[in-house]
Amino acid sequence: MNQTALATADLLAIHRNMTLIRLVEEGIASRYREDGQLMRCPVHLCLGQEAIASGVGAHLRSADGLFGAHRSHGHYLAKGGALQPFLDELYGRRTGCCRGRGGSMHLVDQEAGFLGATPIVGDTVPLAVGVAWAERMRGSDNIGAVFFGDGCFEEGVVHEVMNFAVLKKIPVLFLCENNQYACYTHVGERQPERSIHGIARAHGLAVWQVDGNDVEAVWAAAGAAVARARAGEGPAFLEFATYRMVQHCGPDDDSDLGYHPAGAMEAWRERCPLRLAEARLIERGVERATLDALRAEVQAEVDAGFERARAAPFPDPETRGDGVFAPAPEWPSTLENRAAPRLIRCAQAIREATAQALAADERVFLIGEGVPEPHGIFGTTKDLIQEFGPARVMDMPLSENGLTGACIGAALAGMRPVMVHQRIDFLYLALDQLANVAAKWHYLFNRPVPLVLRTIIGRGWGQGPQHAQSLQALFGHIPGLKVVMPVTARDAKGMLLAAIDDPNPVLFIEHRWLHGVLGDVPEAPYRLALDRARLVRKGRDVTVAAYSYMVLEALKAAEVLAEHDIEVEVIDLSVVQPLDLAPVLASVRKTGRLVVADTGWTSCGMGAEVVARVTERSFLELDKAPVRVAYPDHPLPTSPVLARYYDPDAESIARAILPLLRRKRRPNEEAVFGRLHRQGNRDVPNAQFTGPF
């Protein structure tokens, strides 16, 4: 299609698409009340904005990835999204495009290249950048694009990824529909008196300012921006001036509520994009009868679609929990011990796994703050950039939320990103993308997100309240996100390789004190299960289920207590989500006593979760109430005097165990605690543990 002159036949085809969008939106508005018990979802209509979606959509291929937001009915249809699954979704039917799980605000048509719409403002902007980034890495001329409103321009994540898109010359279009209102608040009350497109230009983006109600102007600007992106000239920002004709959410005209200046709605109705397009078609010789017939044909298609949607079957309620995770490969939980061990540190094992994954699969890339620096994040990424080059191993801007979203987008496009956040504390900044996007995508859209996020608990040496948090319980609370905490070097390598092969988002949490721990690690690649806890020491008297570094402390406590004829059974939980309690339940049935040792806070932590589940399932097998060993419920102070007794250790675990034993079996406490105290300062981790597992 010529980018400078829109032929009459092409304008007529685009006008048909505009008409389809208009009649669908009017159909929703007219049926919303009468079908209120059937169409039970919020609806954000785009009446008055049809020219933008249609003019842009005319230039996009099915292989170009387009994302929308909560007001994306028109975007979906203009990209070629199938009408019937969309209407079925409005009615919550199993034949809907999201199988009844998303409603109006969550739409997808993978074949058409409409890759998803979500209602959290700004969420899909980094995804479009990531999809386009993946296309650039593959060397194709496909592009990414995303629609959003003027209110979205106030979100920080938008500016984070605009910066990244310009930095990397990513072929993505930022499509801003400026209808002047975010919900019910005028842009003048939310933003200083300056142009949105001016701020975009300051980011270094190519910019177009367009009359969004003039479909030919939209088409021309979009064509130029698309051609530029396909040619490798980088991203563009298009600001379309427009106005929506109905309220923010729902089918009504809210002009009577005082949100709009007097006469504003009437003036914009005079500039209705369909009316303007029809006038131009008539000027070019298209007869009114032809336009009327086109409208009648589309109206019949839309009406029939609504009737089919009302009659479509509902989902089976038993399927409501299906699809939280994409099916993943099965891996063993352990490896056979070898006659000739190869001892390396955990940090080396993580680096080796990463290098083997990069070598084996060109879709894998590594990104993170400080990844290429000489020390290589405690040695876990050291010299990988020299081995694989800056296109595969790269630093990133300080944009935790935006770049996490971009990596999610790249994963949706088939890449296998491994992203490193040097401190788990930084993931608070990326929580939106992790919880609202990565963890929900497969459940909503049946599309896997093969993303690994490595992150580190940075305890010790005065790290203080904001650099030493242990947040596994927070992320374990999010369905759809796998969370693992390997302990040994062998587990770290095998679980990281399994995580990279997994089609789901995996949060891979490393305790910094474990990086220096030696372990027996095979050199050849291998994978270990991401969904199984395991028994690491047998015992008959008490069960200790532990996470991360606390496994080593539990084993130290067990060794000392064994000298007093107390047998402690130790379970390495290692997996936060999905939590595997089978070994714990089996052990508790034998010992009748449970201590859970966690590296997080006591309240609402993983210790509380394990205790609750064991109590629910094995209450009658318990001789005593379970006990939690975890951090006190206050932040970690920096001063060594204040921090000294913050971290639980082997002594803490032993002190929790002894009251659970019958009095006649309790050893002399001074002997136990004196021995444990002599084993080392609480502030200094044991870096030489090689253990039997």
Side-chain angles (χ1 to χ4, degrees), residues 536-537 550-560 570 689 692-693:
V536 296
R537 182 184 178 110
M550 294 306 292
V551 174
L552 304 192
E553 295 295 328
L555 289 168
K556 287 196 296 187
E559 288 173 8
V560 172
V570 180
F689 180 86
F693 68 109

Side-chain angles (χ1 to χ4, degrees), residues 246-298:
V246 293
Q247 65 193 118
H248 164 68
C249 182
D252 296 328
D253 177 345
D254 60 1
S255 56
D256 60 319
L257 299 178
Y259 298 122
H260 307 272
M265 185 69 79
E266 290 73 16
W268 279 96
R269 287 188 191 280
E270 288 299 313
R271 300 206 68 254
C272 166
L274 270 78
R275 186 182 299 178
L276 294 177
E278 284 186 351
R280 290 185 185 171
L281 286 165
I282 289 171
E283 286 177 5
R284 295 187 183 191
V286 177
E287 296 182 358
R288 167 56 64 182
T290 299
L291 298 176
D292 290 345
L294 180 151
R295 184 181 180 91
E297 174 189 318
V298 175

Side-chain angles (χ1 to χ4, degrees), residues 640-663:
V641 174
L642 297 175
R644 181 169 177 79
Y645 293 100
Y646 188 84
D647 291 281
D649 60 4
E651 181 181 340
S652 311
I653 294 169
R655 287 186 181 276
I657 288 172
L658 293 185
L660 297 180
L661 302 174
R662 295 181 179 86
R663 288 190 179 275

Side-chain angles (χ1 to χ4, degrees), residues 120-141:
I120 305 296
V121 175
D123 263 3
T124 53
V125 179
L127 304 187
V129 173
V131 164
W133 183 27
E135 295 294 350
R136 184 177 180 277
M137 284 190 276
R138 279 194 288 260
S140 86
D141 68 345

Side-chain angles (χ1 to χ4, degrees), residues 206-227:
V207 167
W208 279 263
Q209 186 183 17
V210 187
D211 178 356
N213 284 30
D214 181 343
V215 72
E216 288 189 289
V218 171
W219 178 85
V226 167

Side-chain angles (χ1 to χ4, degrees), residues 657-676:
I657 288 172
L658 293 185
L660 297 180
L661 302 174
R662 295 181 179 86
R663 288 190 179 275
K664 65 180 182 180
R665 296 208 51 213
R666 291 189 193 177
N668 180 282
E669 294 188 2
E670 288 186 7
V672 174
F673 301 141
R675 172 72 183 280
L676 287 170

